Amino acid sequence: MKHNKGIIKATVVDFKQDAEFFVERGLRSLHRYDYEKALRCFRRAIELEPTNAEYHCHLASVLAETGQFEASNDVLYEIIEKYDPSMVEVYFYMANNYANLEDYQMAEEMAIRYLQEDENGPYRDEAEELLDYIYFELDLPPRHFLSGDREDVYNKHERARQSLEEGRFLEALETLKEIVETDPSFMPAWNNLSLAYYYVGDFAQAMATIEQTLERENGNLHALCNLAVLLSHHNRVQELVGLIEMLKKVVPYHPEHMYKLATTMGVLGQHEEAYRLYYRMLKTGRPHEACTYHYAAISAYMTGRREQALRWWQKAKQLDPDAGVADHYIQMVKAQEEGENNLLIPYQYHPPQREVSWEKAAVDGVEHLKRDPMIRASLLWALQHGRDEVKFAVLQTLALIGDDEAEAAVRHFYHQTDDPQLQKLALLALADMGAALPDCLPGTLAERGGGKANTAERDAVKAGEANGAARHANRDVPAQPGMESVEDCICRCLTENGRPDLGEWCLKVWRRYKESVTKPVQVRKTVAWVAALEYLYGTVNNQKQSQAFFAEKYGISPATVAKCVKALAALDLK
C-alpha cells in the first residue's frame, strides 16, 4: 500500500515530569487531604532534586499531618544540618512536633531557638503561645528564658508562682499586678492574680480579676474554675449551678487541664464528676504525683468506691511514704464499718494530725506556720474577715512570725482598717517585729533598722501615742542602747561562740562594705547581715551552705538574706 503523501506527520510533545511538577501535584493532593499521594509526590521531587530544602520541608509537613512526628523531625534536622541552615522556621516546626510527642523540654528548646534566631519571624506569636502553654497551662518550670522584655515577664511570673506555692501571697500579689500592668495580654498572670487576691482574703478584687480575665479570653478554663470556687464561697447558688453544668460539658484534652477541672469539681462537692475525670487521667499510664492519687482517692471514697479509694491511697503511699497522708486515710477507711456514712474529706494534701492552729502559735512556736501556705492563707483571710478578737490573735501570730511577708500583711492591715483600737494593735505588732512604724521620720525606729522596739516605744503604741511620737521625732536621735550594731551582732553570734576566724573575716568584710558605700542597704534585722556574711564566708572557703539554711538558722526570710548577699557580693571577697 502506498502512503498518502498528503498526510501530515504527528508531532510528539515531550511530557516533562521534573521535580516542580511533582511538588505541584503533591500540594494539590495535600489540599485534598490525600496524604499518601502527597507523600509519594514529595519523595519523588526529592529524588530529582535531593538538595532542595523547600521540598524536604513539604515532606516533613505531610509526615506531621499524618502523625509521624519523629519522622518529620528527622527530615527537619536534615534540612538544618545538610541543606539550608538559614531556614530557621524549621525550629518552630520541630517545636510543634515535640509538643505533639509530649516532649515539652525539647519543644521549649526549639521554640526558644526559633525566637533567638528570628526575633520578629512570622511564627513569633505562635512560638510564644507554645511557651506560655508549656510553662503555665502545663505548670512546667522554665529552664530557659528569652532575651529582652519577654524574659522579664517569664522570670517575674515564675517568681510569683513560687511565692504563691510557698505562702508569700502579698509578695506574689505585687509581682503579678506589675506583670498585668506592663503586659495585659499575658493570661497566666491574670489567673494567678485572681488566686493571689483570693488567698489574701480580697474576694471582691479576686472576682473582678476573673471577670477581666474572661473578658480577654472567654473560654479560659482556669478562670472559669476559679470563678466557680468564688461563686461557691459567696453562696451565689443560681450562677454556680449554671456554671457547674457548663463545666461538666467540657472535655479537657490535656491531663493538666483535666487535673484542674477534676480538683475544682471535687472542691465544689461534685465528687462523681471529679471521680470520672481523675479515673480518665490516671488510666493513661502517665506518671503522676502522690497528691493526685490522694485527690482521686478522695473522689472515689466520697462516691462510695472504697476499694478503688484504697488502691489509689496505696499508690500515693508508695510514691510518698514519709508524708503519712495515705496511711491515715487507709486506716480510717479500714476502721469504718460496712454501711457507715462517709466522712467529709477536704481536697488537701496533709493528714489531720499535722494540722496546726495559728491561735496556739505563742505556745507551740511558729516555725511550722512559716512553711505552711494554707496556714498563711487562713491568717490573711482571718485578718480580713474575722471577728475583732480573731484579728487580735492573728496580729499577735504575725508578730511572732516576724518575716517580710508578715510585716507587709500587718502594715497593709494598719492602713486598711479604720478601727483605732485595731490600728494600735497593728502598730504594736510592727514594733514587736522591730519593723518601721508608719509615718516614721529619719532617726526613728524606721531608720535604725533591725532589733526589737524598746519598752517605751511599745508603751507608746499601747497608749495610742506612737503616731504622734513618730511624727515629732528628732531627726538626729541616736540609736538606742538596745539597738545592736552589726559589729556587735557579729561578735555575739560568731566570735563569742568559738569561731574567732569567722568573726574576724566577717568584721573585716563588713567594715570594707561600710567604707565602700555611702548608704548601706536597709534591712530591719541586724542579724540578716551576719547570715549573709557567714554564707559568703562558706562560699569563699568551699564550705557552701544554701542561703535558705542561714535564713532558717537566724530566723529571717531567705529574701532578706539574698538582699544582703547581693549588696556584699559587689566586694572582691577573695
Side-chain angles (χ1 to χ4, degrees):
M1 180 185 291
K2 293 182 178 180
H3 291 287
N4 190 334
K5 293 181 179 180
I7 297 176
I8 301 173
K9 292 182 179 180
T11 301
V12 177
V13 179
D14 183 29
F15 182 44
K16 189 177 181 181
Q17 294 183 330
D18 58 7
E20 190 174 342
F21 166 78
F22 285 105
V23 169
E24 289 177 359
R25 290 190 65 185
L27 290 172
R28 285 199 300 270
S29 300
L30 182 59
H31 293 152
R32 293 195 294 267
Y33 306 106
D34 189 347
Y35 298 121
E36 289 301 320
K37 190 172 183 180
L39 284 171
R40 288 197 302 270
C41 289
F42 291 133
R43 283 177 174 143
R44 179 64 178 140
I46 290 170
E47 287 177 9
L48 295 170
E49 289 189 30
T51 61
N52 190 309
E54 186 178 345
Y55 298 168
H56 285 272
C57 212
H58 288 316
L59 176 61
S61 174
V62 181
L63 289 170
E65 289 287 344
T66 57
Q68 300 177 69
F69 302 112
E70 290 179 346
S72 175
N73 271 350
D74 290 341
V75 175
L76 293 170
Y77 272 115
E78 278 197 344
I79 294 173
I80 290 295
E81 293 172 356
K82 295 182 180 179
Y83 306 123
D84 189 358
S86 67
M87 191 179 278
V88 296
E89 61 267 29
V90 164
Y91 294 116
F92 173 69
Y93 303 146
M94 286 194 284
N96 279 286
N97 284 340
Y98 279 120
N100 280 298
L101 289 166
E102 298 189 6
D103 187 346
Y104 297 111
Q105 288 191 349
M106 285 303 298
E108 175 201 24
E109 197 89 43
M110 292 298 108
I112 289 177
R113 181 71 180 271
Y114 169 70
L115 291 169
Q116 289 172 337
E117 295 286 343
D118 190 1
E119 186 177 352
N120 297 309
Y123 301 110
R124 173 179 174 169
D125 290 344
E126 290 86 347
E128 290 184 345
E129 286 176 7
L130 176 59
L131 289 172
D132 287 349
Y133 177 76
I134 292 170
Y135 294 154
F136 309 119
E137 295 294 328
L138 306 186
D139 200 24
L140 298 177
R143 299 177 306 123
H144 306 285
F145 292 105
L146 306 177
S147 59
D149 296 339
R150 210 60 179 168
E151 176 184 12
D152 194 40
V153 171
Y154 284 128
N155 266 312
K156 284 181 178 177
H157 189 270
E158 179 63 10
R159 290 202 308 271
R161 191 181 67 81
Q162 290 176 350
S163 296
L164 282 176
E165 289 180 354
E166 294 167 7
R168 302 194 308 275
F169 304 119
L170 292 169
E171 178 182 299
L173 186 64
E174 293 306 311
T175 305
L176 292 165
K177 283 162 64 177
E178 185 179 333
I179 293 173
V180 299
E181 286 170 5
T182 56
D183 188 355
S185 66
F186 197 69
M187 300 310 298
W190 284 99
N191 283 323
N192 279 328
L193 180 60
S194 65
L195 287 177
Y197 278 123
Y198 176 76
Y199 287 136
V200 302
D202 193 342
F203 301 122
Q205 196 59 49
M207 185 68 78
T209 304
I210 292 172
E211 289 170 356
Q212 287 178 278
T213 306
L214 292 172
E215 284 175 9
R216 286 172 168 79
E217 191 176 295
N218 188 40
N220 189 297
L221 182 61
H222 284 268
L224 291 170
C225 289
N226 293 342
L227 176 61
V229 173
L230 261 291
L231 292 175
S232 172
H233 179 84
H234 288 292
N235 293 318
R236 290 161 61 172
V237 178
Q238 189 172 357
E239 295 169 84
L240 178 61
V241 169
L243 181 55
I244 288 176
E245 290 305 311
M246 186 189 77
L247 289 173
K248 284 181 177 179
K249 296 175 183 177
V250 174
V251 183
Y253 171 73
H254 201 278
E256 278 70 18
H257 289 163
M258 210 177 299
Y259 175 85
K260 175 71 174 181
L261 187 57
T263 306
T264 302
M265 286 295 179
V267 168
L268 296 174
Q270 303 294 311
H271 303 296
E272 190 67 44
E273 188 67 18
Y275 173 82
R276 184 181 67 81
L277 290 165
Y278 280 124
Y279 185 83
R280 274 185 56 204
M281 184 168 53
L282 294 175
K283 76 174 183 178
T284 61
R286 295 189 182 95
H288 293 279
E289 295 181 353
C291 61
T292 304
Y293 283 99
H294 171 63
Y295 299 150
I298 294 172
S299 70
Y301 171 79
M302 297 305 298
T303 55
R305 300 175 173 93
R306 294 194 180 188
E307 292 304 316
Q308 179 64 71
L310 287 171
R311 285 194 291 271
W312 278 335
W313 268 316
Q314 289 289 357
K315 182 65 176 177
K317 180 180 177 179
Q318 291 174 13
L319 293 171
D320 191 5
D322 298 329
V325 178
D327 269 332
H328 171 83
Y329 290 108
I330 289 170
Q331 294 170 14
M332 181 198 77
V333 172
K334 288 182 176 180
Q336 282 185 312
E337 296 181 4
E338 191 68 31
E340 188 177 344
N341 290 335
N342 289 339
L343 301 173
L344 185 63
I345 304 174
Y347 283 76
Q348 297 171 4
Y349 189 60
H350 58 73
Q353 61 263 34
R354 288 190 186 176
E355 289 181 0
V356 293
S357 170
W358 47 263
E359 293 167 310
K360 298 178 181 178
V363 178
D364 299 337
V366 296
E367 286 306 312
H368 52 304
L369 272 65
K370 293 181 179 181
R371 298 188 296 267
D372 193 325
M374 298 307 297
I375 295 296
R376 291 271 198 174
S378 70
L379 286 168
L380 296 176
W381 186 93
L383 201 58
Q384 292 290 324
H385 306 286
R387 301 184 307 275
D388 284 355
E389 59 268 28
V390 172
K391 291 177 180 178
F392 172 64
V394 171
L395 289 169
Q396 287 182 314
T397 304
L398 291 171
L400 289 168
I401 292 174
D403 60 15
D404 293 341
E405 182 80 7
E407 179 191 335
V410 175
R411 194 177 301 282
H412 176 75
F413 176 75
Y414 168 80
H415 289 294
Q416 183 187 56
T417 185
D418 55 4
D419 185 321
Q421 185 60 32
L422 289 173
Q423 281 188 328
K424 292 176 187 177
L425 294 172
L427 287 172
L428 179 59
L430 289 171
D432 281 342
M433 290 184 212
L437 300 180
D439 300 325
C440 282
L441 297 175
T444 65
L445 184 62
E447 287 283 304
R448 292 196 298 270
K452 298 291 183 181
N454 60 35
T455 304
E457 286 170 320
R458 289 199 298 270
D459 291 343
V461 172
K462 291 178 181 178
E465 299 170 356
N467 281 339
R471 282 194 295 271
H472 297 95
N474 188 319
R475 290 176 178 267
D476 299 320
V477 173
Q480 297 296 322
M483 307 306 294
E484 188 176 36
S485 69
V486 175
E487 288 89 343
D488 290 342
C489 195
I490 292 171
C491 292
R492 177 175 58 82
C493 295
L494 303 177
T495 307
E496 294 175 5
N497 287 333
R499 305 188 67 185
D501 293 343
L502 170 60
E504 288 176 12
W505 186 90
C506 292
L507 282 171
K508 183 173 72 172
V509 172
W510 173 249
R511 286 164 184 159
R512 282 176 53 204
Y513 173 69
K514 284 206 304 182
E515 291 169 0
S516 66
V517 296
T518 55
K519 186 178 180 182
V521 171
Q522 293 296 310
V523 294
R524 59 186 177 78
K525 291 191 176 181
T526 306
V527 75
W529 289 111
V530 181
L533 287 163
E534 189 172 352
Y535 166 79
L536 290 169
Y537 178 84
T539 302
V540 170
N541 291 279
N542 296 318
Q543 302 171 1
K544 188 173 180 180
Q545 289 275 14
S546 68
Q547 293 181 18
F549 170 82
F550 289 106
E552 185 173 354
K553 175 180 177 179
Y554 287 99
I556 51 180
S557 74
T560 304
V561 177
K563 182 163 66 172
C564 295
V565 167
K566 183 179 179 181
L568 294 167
L571 301 172
D572 183 6
L573 300 174
K574 293 183 180 179

